[in-house]
Amino acid sequence: MSAPAERSGRENTETQQREVRIDRPLLDRVDALLRDLPKTRVVRLPYPGIRLYAKMESENRTGSAKDRAAIWILREAVRRGEITRNTTVVESSSGNFALSLASFLNALNVPFVPVLDPNVNAATERTLRRLCARVEKVTEPDGTGGYLLSRLTRVAELRAELPDVYWPDQYTNPDGARGHYELTAGELLADVGRVDYLFVGVGTGATINGLSHRLGVEQPDATVVAVDVEGSAIFGAPPARRLIPGIGSSIRPPLVDAAWISKVVVLSERDEVAGCRALLRDHGIYAGGSTGCVYAAITHHFDGHSGREPVVAFLCADNGEPYADTVYADDWVAEHLTPVATKGACA
């Protein structure tokens, strides 16, 4: 047999093996979950000098934008035969992505083991322990001041330990970005129309990758502003201790490399807290930490703006309830985010 014929035969065999493995009933159920995903509102917020719009991703099934990435990743993995009802899904998360996976996988009757760290919000951890038969929580920092590398090490151990494992790998998986491209960005542009500025908080990179690519295709003149927090290593700074989950990373995720970014803004965790409280005070929106950081970036950027009113959009990525004991608690902020407490970390 010739080499091309042998290769073709091998590829056909691999395709047939994947098709045999595909769990058709499970695929039907995950497709139904995708169809039932709510379309989140876009609201106009009064702000001097700009036309400001917030897309309320906090209205998703589990209360965050992570639902968009999670359902797309799961659907594609089931479609490729990488997840069946006999699979255990294992993933590292600081909170919201784990909640999204837990909710969907619970509905699909597929086991899920989240790997958390001490920075996870208490309410999020309680919910995950109710939804998941097994929850792993690392306690040792990884040498960068954070826990991401420790979580990933534990994920690798679980993948070696369990017999049939799927790892979504949210930091590198293009399916997560595609979920934001198709769902989040598609809805935003359909509702708002022209967007001059899009401000996006950055963590895994999936959100800014998906949104920026959709905007680049449909509105290439728009400015995409990436918002990060001090202590994050995403845009070249050395990693340092961070206390508020949901934004930033101890590594530079590959999905960020592929995003179309016009400008980067890096703020402190104190700015993040101030942004959350300003958003609640000025607009009645009770949002999570990353949204507050993005709102603070918008206010800094457009402070004193005059001239034509640009259209500015951002995501309300999650709600504020899981942050009630941290971002919205005066005692916690005074203890952890004073200049002395954050010296050498996020000050």
Side-chain angles (χ1 to χ4, degrees):
M1 181 183 293
S2 67
E6 182 180 350
R7 183 169 58 250
S8 176
R10 185 168 61 250
E11 289 172 351
N12 288 336
T13 300
E14 290 172 352
T15 300
Q16 290 168 1
Q17 289 173 343
R18 285 195 300 270
E19 289 176 349
V20 168
R21 181 180 162 87
I22 293 173
D23 189 328
R24 296 291 174 183
L26 186 62
L27 182 58
D28 290 341
R29 289 160 62 188
V30 76
D31 278 336
L33 288 174
L34 178 56
R35 288 194 301 271
D36 291 342
L37 206 67
K39 179 179 180 293
T40 61
R41 292 178 302 142
V42 173
V43 297
R44 172 82 183 270
L45 305 180
Y47 196 93
I50 64 175
R51 294 167 58 194
L52 182 60
Y53 293 91
K55 182 162 177 56
M56 304 301 292
E57 290 297 288
S58 54
E59 296 175 353
N60 274 301
R61 175 185 175 121
T62 68
S64 88
K66 294 289 188 177
D67 280 11
R68 310 307 189 104
I71 192 62
W72 207 272
I73 286 173
L74 293 177
R75 196 277 296 269
E76 291 303 292
V78 173
R79 189 179 62 81
R80 290 190 293 260
E82 296 168 353
I83 295 177
T84 72
R85 281 165 287 180
N86 297 319
T87 304
T88 298
V89 177
V90 176
E91 179 62 303
S92 158
S93 171
S94 61
N96 282 334
F97 191 61
L99 277 179
S100 296
L101 289 175
S103 176
F104 291 130
L105 290 167
N106 191 58
L108 295 171
N109 200 29
V110 173
F112 172 50
V113 181
V115 180
L116 312 176
D117 66 50
N119 285 338
V120 66
N121 293 310
T124 299
E125 183 174 353
R126 285 194 298 270
T127 301
L128 287 169
R129 292 190 181 278
R130 285 195 294 267
L131 289 172
C132 305
R134 179 177 180 180
V135 173
E136 295 282 328
K137 188 175 182 180
V138 303
T139 57
E140 293 298 321
D142 56 23
T144 68
Y147 294 91
L148 174 60
L149 301 181
S150 297
R151 295 200 317 258
L152 293 176
T153 297
R154 185 60 186 138
V155 166
E157 294 168 350
L158 290 168
R159 292 173 68 200
E161 168 192 330
L162 299 170
D164 183 357
V165 176
Y166 175 74
W167 176 34
D169 190 8
Q170 61 171 322
Y171 286 86
T172 67
N173 194 328
D175 293 336
R178 192 69 190 185
H180 287 296
Y181 182 101
E182 298 289 348
L183 303 172
T184 320
E187 292 175 11
L188 175 66
L189 296 180
D191 284 345
V192 176
R194 189 188 88 245
V195 173
D196 297 308
Y197 290 86
L198 178 65
F199 284 72
V200 186
V202 183
T204 67
T207 307
I208 197 165
N209 181 305
L211 267 65
S212 69
H213 276 263
R214 185 69 178 256
L215 201 59
V217 168
E218 298 192 16
Q219 300 185 31
D221 293 333
T223 297
V224 177
V225 181
V227 181
D228 198 9
V229 68
E230 291 176 4
S232 169
I234 294 176
F235 295 106
R241 182 167 173 258
R242 290 172 290 115
L243 299 175
I244 304 172
I247 188 170
S249 174
S250 300
I251 61 173
R252 180 176 173 90
L255 291 173
V256 174
D257 291 331
W260 297 354
I261 297 172
S262 311
K263 180 179 180 180
V264 175
V265 174
V266 179
L267 300 178
S268 71
E269 288 192 315
R270 290 183 66 82
D271 292 325
E272 188 175 349
V273 169
C276 285
R277 295 179 177 207
L279 191 58
L280 180 60
R281 180 191 66 236
D282 298 342
H283 304 291
I285 294 177
Y286 188 36
S290 66
T291 303
C293 203
V294 169
Y295 186 68
I298 292 170
T299 60
H300 290 185
H301 186 87
F302 290 104
D303 184 31
H305 173 78
S306 60
R308 183 181 71 87
E309 284 192 338
V311 176
V312 181
F314 70 104
L315 305 184
C316 182
D318 63 352
N319 68 69
E321 187 59 35
Y323 303 84
D325 296 330
T326 54
V327 168
Y328 293 96
D330 291 344
D331 290 346
W332 184 90
V333 173
E335 178 181 354
H336 295 284
L337 297 184
T338 63
V340 171
T342 57
K343 185 176 182 181
C346 306

